[in-house]
Amino acid sequence: AISASLLAFSCAARPATRENIKTNLSKPNFQDISRKIPRYIDSQKLKSLLTSNTEVVIIFGARWCRNCKLIDEALNHIETDIEVYYINVDKPWAMKLASAMNIKKIPVMFHTSKDGKTLATRVGPRRIVSYLTLRY
């Protein structure tokens, strides 16, 4: 599977021709795309999301985690139709939740349906980004 970040990089580059040099000057280039900040949530926000009757994608991760940063980079360069939320496992409440859910590695993604059932679980940046790219 091709990761979304590689796909985004390959799609962003266009050969320099006389026609697209003018259009590239007026359009922002790939490096100018503003970064979205990962939406780390607290326990109250998690409760409200899980009771809101909407599909939810939650990623257990940490700001220091290299693989979590890879997911963040990839998601900044693709558009998804669903909002992705992060739980910082460095927080005490999140550590307890991760322990109760038997989460031993990060990043881990959980996709829940409107009625609270788990639609998908993915571990690792490649599987998470591939799932979100192909699904949305």
Side-chain angles (χ1 to χ4, degrees):
I2 298 174
S3 75
S5 58
L6 292 177
L7 184 61
F9 281 115
S10 66
C11 293
R14 292 177 30 192
T17 63
R18 191 178 287 255
E19 294 81 28
N20 70 18
I21 287 175
K22 291 178 184 176
T23 58
N24 283 344
L25 292 175
S26 62
K27 295 180 182 176
N29 67 18
F30 187 66
Q31 287 78 18
D32 292 337
I33 295 174
S34 62
R35 284 185 39 79
K36 298 177 207 169
I37 298 171
R39 298 188 67 179
Y40 282 94
I41 59 173
D42 60 14
S43 60
Q44 295 301 321
K45 178 68 175 177
L46 177 62
K47 287 177 188 175
S48 71
L49 285 172
L50 296 177
T51 58
S52 65
N53 291 332
T54 59
E55 284 189 40
V56 178
V57 173
I58 297 171
I59 297 175
F60 282 80
R63 297 185 194 279
W64 51 263
C65 170
R66 192 182 110 212
N67 287 333
C68 301
K69 290 177 185 177
L70 289 172
I71 293 170
D72 178 40
E73 277 298 314
L75 293 181
N76 278 320
H77 299 297
I78 61 172
E79 290 187 28
T80 57
D81 295 337
I82 191 165
E83 194 70 39
V84 177
Y85 297 93
Y86 294 81
I87 294 177
N88 186 352
V89 295
D90 289 334
K91 303 288 182 186
W93 72 270
M95 283 184 204
K96 289 178 186 176
L97 179 61
S99 178
M101 296 176 71
N102 203 26
I103 295 173
K104 302 207 185 290
K105 292 182 179 182
I106 58 170
V108 176
M109 179 208 76
F110 292 94
H111 180 195
T112 61
S113 66
K114 293 179 181 182
D115 58 355
K117 294 181 181 175
T118 302
L119 298 174
T121 303
R122 298 290 186 272
V123 178
R126 180 178 294 165
R127 289 188 174 141
I128 293 170
V129 172
S130 295
Y131 176 81
L132 292 173
T133 302
L134 296 174
R135 177 107 181 173
Y136 297 100

